[in-house]
Amino acid sequence: MKKIYYLFSIVILCSCGGGKYNYLFDTGKQLDFGEGLWVLNRTESNSKIFDKELYDASYEQFKKILGDSLVDINTLRMDKLISPKIGFELNKTELETLKRDTHCDFLINIRGYVISNGAGTVSFDSGNGHYSASNQSSVSIMIYDLNTGEIISSSQAMAKVTSENSHFDDNKGVPSINSSAETLMVKAAKKLIKKYETNRLD
């Protein structure tokens, strides 16, 4: 029985769909993180359950880059009058207000989006013909210079895991474990932020 369980575990691990990630920087792939005070806004996403995970993962990754230069927006709200809701795309007037209210130099905005969970977390090859389904998510990062009111970086990560089979597959009945779209969203945020660390100028 233990051997059967062991073999099944190996099959599950080998069939696991970890996802593919693509990255796009519209601007600001290389930034100098050596100066100034950076504030991380609350993340936003269409996943209520995983929004906290998105924020926690993003804060942790940017903390590795910025150290004590990174502050949390809620921490600032403890002794400063700051708007309870800060949008993702901001105009110059809004950025000037944030500069005055936060006394920070840069603002980091992160938005996640769950596109589809069509493949589910577990899928089986039924052998009934070709099919293809996927779990997809995206993450966008916008970084503003609060001193100039300009965008200094705009980037995006796309994450996707696909489950498919055809008449020619001979692995009928073997389950495939797929990362959910929500998990892909959090992983995409981590990987995208690591791109900033890899390409930092300071």
Side-chain angles (χ1 to χ4, degrees):
M1 189 67 180
K2 289 183 178 180
K3 289 183 178 180
I4 294 174
Y5 177 78
Y6 177 75
L7 289 172
F8 182 74
S9 299
I10 294 296
V11 170
I12 292 293
L13 291 172
C14 291
S15 302
C16 183
K20 294 183 178 180
Y21 301 85
N22 294 307
Y23 311 96
L24 173 66
F25 280 81
D26 293 321
T27 185
K29 187 175 183 178
Q30 296 178 308
L31 295 179
D32 184 348
F33 293 101
E35 296 183 358
L37 199 59
W38 304 65
V39 56
L40 178 64
N41 190 14
R42 293 300 306 178
T43 56
E44 59 178 71
S45 75
N46 60 341
S47 173
K48 293 181 180 178
I49 298 175
F50 273 73
D51 192 56
K52 184 180 185 306
E53 290 196 28
L54 177 62
Y55 174 81
D56 290 343
S58 300
Y59 184 86
E60 180 183 352
Q61 292 302 318
F62 268 115
K63 190 71 173 177
K64 291 178 182 178
I65 299 173
L66 292 160
D68 293 337
S69 296
L70 180 68
V71 293
D72 166 67
I73 191 69
N74 287 336
T75 301
L76 289 179
R77 286 195 175 103
M78 293 175 67
D79 57 7
K80 291 181 172 61
L81 292 175
I82 303 171
S83 173
K85 174 68 175 178
I86 300 171
F88 184 76
E89 296 181 4
L90 302 167
N91 59 42
K92 201 148 191 171
T93 300
E94 291 171 319
L95 293 170
E96 289 174 354
T97 300
L98 280 172
K99 173 61 183 178
R100 182 195 66 211
D101 296 343
T102 65
H103 302 291
C104 292
D105 301 291
F106 304 95
L107 172 72
I108 304 170
N109 274 350
I110 301 175
R111 179 167 61 191
Y113 186 69
V114 173
I115 300 170
S116 71
N117 256 320
T121 53
V122 181
S123 56
F124 291 85
D125 181 354
S126 63
N128 294 325
H130 177 76
Y131 79 89
S132 179
S134 64
N135 299 337
Q136 299 182 63
S137 288
S138 67
V139 171
S140 299
I141 294 178
M142 198 87 77
I143 303 178
Y144 297 90
D145 186 330
L146 297 178
N147 297 304
T148 63
E150 297 177 345
I151 297 171
I152 60 171
S153 182
S154 174
S155 62
Q156 186 177 49
M158 297 292 296
K160 181 178 182 180
V161 61
T162 302
S163 177
E164 59 185 350
N165 77 290
S166 72
H167 292 291
F168 303 102
D169 292 336
D170 57 5
N171 58 338
K172 297 175 183 178
V174 176
S176 175
I177 307 301
N178 309 309
S179 296
S180 69
E182 290 82 3
T183 300
L184 290 172
M185 177 181 70
V186 175
K187 287 183 178 179
K190 290 181 178 180
K191 290 177 177 289
L192 183 56
I193 296 169
K194 284 181 180 178
K195 294 289 183 183
Y196 281 101
E197 184 174 19
T198 300
N199 295 288
R200 63 187 298 170
L201 293 175
D202 55 306

